Amino acid sequence: MGKLMRLISMAPLFLLLCLPFAFGGHDYNQALSKSILFFEAQRSGYLPHNQRITWRANSGLNDGKASGVDLVGGYYDAGDNVKFGLPMAFTITMMSWSIIEYGKQMAANGELGHAMEAVKWGTDYFIKAHPQPYVLYGEVGDGNSDHYCWQRPEDMTTDRRAYKIDPSNPGSDLAGETAAAMAAASIVFRRSNPAYSRELLRHAYQLFEFADKYRGKYDSSITVAQKYYRSISGYNDELLWAAAWLYQASNNKYYLNYLDKNGDSMGGTGWAMTEFGWDVKYAGVQTLVAKFLMQGKAGHHAPVFEKYRQKAEYFMCSLIGKGSRNIQKTPGGLIYRQRWNNMQFVTSASFLATVYSDYLTSYRGSLKCAAGNVAPSELLSFAKSQVDYLLGDNPRATSYMVGYGNNYPRQVHHRGSSIVSIKVNPKFVACRQGYATWYTRKASDPNVLTGALVGGPDAYDNFADERDNYEQTEPATYNNAPLLGILARLAGGHGGYNQLLPVVAPAPNPVIAKLKPAPKPKLTPTPASSSSPITINQKMTTSWNHKGKTYYRYSTVVTNESYKTVKALKLSISKLYGPIWGLTKSGNSYGFPEWLNSLPAGKSLEFVYIHAASPADVSVSSYNLA
């Protein structure tokens, strides 16, 4: 009885101590807004007129000049001033995936436009960095000279040499990840900027071919990257990752076949992973292929794709502690992978758990773990627990997102935030002077790096807010990118998720008032499936009356947007009620006219038809790229 009384009397104290940890509510919308803002602090190049991080100014304005190429723009990866291509590309891929899955929720929060601008800042740079089909610039500056100095990006005096890959010096991992980024981003811009979307997809096709044709690890060619972003996993995961994104962006069966044919030899069906990040993509590939399987797109590839799915579920089960080999966690419940910037693995893994939860819910399936079947909601609850931890529900009651909450890191390992803004004090800060004056200063940063997610605590939930503690206080773009999707999902509540429906990211700020029905058909752009490198545009060129009936002449232009030649083109045409010229009919489909047997890259063909109705429905049935 005495023991029972003592337990009862201690209960209020126990609840009082645990309440903030267990039941702390978070403003996910605010966290999302801040997370996107961080990318503006990482911008290199000429800053736009609508730049919101006003303590930053233009920087890196001669990047690429010595190599005869314009490489102005892009992102600094972390607290330094180097532009590293591999983590930058992964950042753009994950930001795009966040928008593709949860763009509607971002739009509801008013942040979709900002998120898309953040993606475009990266893809604009990648277009510049890819001046020829088999050339890609993968780094500007080098870590050694950069780390010797502590300077604002606006004051940089360090070497800004540009490093590239080409057929003689290949980099399949770098080219593959950049192809994935361009393909994923092409989906993001499909509705709001279709021409830009097609341009991104063209680059993605070329980069994938480059990666696949000239195989090699990028850090064997760009050796200065080895100390900072060594490709330990090799390039097979990036080739599969790029193929998965190109299939999602184009619906081109070539990439589906690639995933099937190379699944075993490249490790997609063999590697059972417990991590996902800028170097190791297998869990991401397995999650995407599982999605294709659940969408019913696998066809005869289903047996191989089922093996991908099993490995995806191995990863998910390990996250929630119900697998045969579970991930390590801190006493406070945070995923723990490594001492240096552990938070990157937290957000990347949590993102996969979030989307897989929604895929399974849409599929009405459950997760098959060693410990038994698990409801999809457990995956989402797990992701939420990780996000809540990093926002402050942890043993130290510390938010690891700068500017969120009251107790967050004040001495971030970041050159720009730790040195007074050039707009406040334009006096030049020399290379070593920055270390002497600013790096060792035991005071809060003069510029708040709003939204930055720092490296985070150690294996025992301990954290030291000190600028020279780079393992814990340095932020990175690839920490934040997956977080955008999870925060948008958590902010969006529980209504109306079906992630297996065909996804096209919503256009920002749609103006519905302009979409008035036209009294007569005039222009009907008919894109080929969400997909292909073939576009179809129709327009009415003339109309006339005959015996009280109005007839219309339609011109239809079919364009090959890819960098390869289109052969064996088959078009499906329905709702056609009159004669057609310029195509050859074969069975129920239409092909090239007799005088044409292929459509070279960038070329178009035109056909016309006449009938007394709205435009016919024209779509691509099949084609080959040669």
Side-chain angles (χ1 to χ4, degrees), residues 576-600:
L576 175 65
Y577 310 111
I580 186 169
W581 295 270
L583 293 176
T584 301
K585 189 169 185 183
S586 175
N588 293 322
S589 63
Y590 293 81
F592 287 127
E594 290 178 2
W595 50 267
L596 188 71
N597 58 16
S598 65
L599 193 60

Side-chain angles (χ1 to χ4, degrees), residues 31-42 77-78 87 90-92 94-96 98 106 118 341 343-348 351 390-391 400-402 449-455 474-488:
L32 173 63
S33 300
K34 290 178 185 292
S35 290
I36 297 172
L37 204 55
F38 166 62
F39 290 97
E40 296 195 14
Q42 297 302 106
D77 71 305
F90 179 70
T91 294
I92 300 305
M94 294 308 295
M95 220 187 304
S96 298
S98 291
M106 291 181 191
N341 189 14
M343 208 59 87
Q344 61 180 303
F345 301 109
V346 175
T347 58
S348 293
F351 179 86
L390 68 87
L391 292 178
Y400 293 104
M401 180 185 287
V402 177
L449 193 62
T450 303
L453 187 61
V454 299
E474 186 171 21
T477 55
Y478 43 89
N479 295 8
N480 278 60
L483 189 58
L484 304 189
I486 316 169
L487 288 169

Side-chain angles (χ1 to χ4, degrees), residues 452-500:
L453 187 61
V454 299
D458 67 11
Y460 305 99
D461 301 297
N462 298 315
F463 177 80
D465 184 12
E466 296 162 358
R467 197 167 291 111
D468 61 358
N469 179 19
Y470 50 82
E471 292 184 345
Q472 295 190 327
T473 62
E474 186 171 21
T477 55
Y478 43 89
N479 295 8
N480 278 60
L483 189 58
L484 304 189
I486 316 169
L487 288 169
R489 173 65 175 88
L490 294 174
H494 299 289
Y497 289 89
N498 188 343
Q499 304 308 110
L500 299 185

